[in-house]
């Protein structure tokens, strides 16, 4: 399964879906689609109790994933 291609548009006044936001941040952190897809489906994330990004989203933890990815993007992972 491939991650969806994201369109860089945002509707004003509407909250962004955290699963879409997580994929957008992951795309900025890892621009190579093959590496990003592999991470998304297979790499356990210790801060999310070993869930992969895919399982975190499926388990309703997309908001936690977004917060983690934002901290990584800001250079503050684990703080």
């Amino acid at each position: 399964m491939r991650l969806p291609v994201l369109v860089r548009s945002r509707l004003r006044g509407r909250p962004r879906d955290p699963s879409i936001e997580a994929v957008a941040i992951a795309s900025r952190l890892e621009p190579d689609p093959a590496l990003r897809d592999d991470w998304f489906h297979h790499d356990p994330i210790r801060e999310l109790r070993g869930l992969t990004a895919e399982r975190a989203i499926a388990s309703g933890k997309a908001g936690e994933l977004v917060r983690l990815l934002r901290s990584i993007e800001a250079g503050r992972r684990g703080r």
Side-chain angles (χ1 to χ4, degrees), residues 28-58:
R28 291 192 302 267
L29 292 170
E30 178 50 73
D32 183 306
L35 293 175
R36 187 175 56 249
D37 285 352
D38 188 58
W39 166 80
F40 183 81
H41 297 291
H42 303 291
D43 287 358
I45 303 168
R46 71 174 182 269
E47 292 90 343
L48 298 177
R49 295 166 295 290
L51 293 174
T52 63
E54 178 181 40
R55 291 297 307 147
I57 290 171

Side-chain angles (χ1 to χ4, degrees), residues 3-77:
L3 294 176
V5 174
L6 298 175
V7 176
R8 289 187 179 256
S9 66
R10 185 182 277 199
L11 299 174
R12 292 177 190 237
R14 300 187 104 193
R16 190 166 195 177
D17 181 328
S19 60
I20 293 172
E21 189 169 1
V23 173
I25 297 168
S27 295
R28 291 192 302 267
L29 292 170
E30 178 50 73
D32 183 306
L35 293 175
R36 187 175 56 249
D37 285 352
D38 188 58
W39 166 80
F40 183 81
H41 297 291
H42 303 291
D43 287 358
I45 303 168
R46 71 174 182 269
E47 292 90 343
L48 298 177
R49 295 166 295 290
L51 293 174
T52 63
E54 178 181 40
R55 291 297 307 147
I57 290 171
S59 301
K61 299 186 183 319
E64 289 179 45
L65 178 60
V66 166
R67 283 189 293 282
L68 172 65
L69 292 174
R70 283 182 184 157
S71 76
I72 292 169
E73 192 172 43
R76 297 186 317 259
R77 183 177 190 164

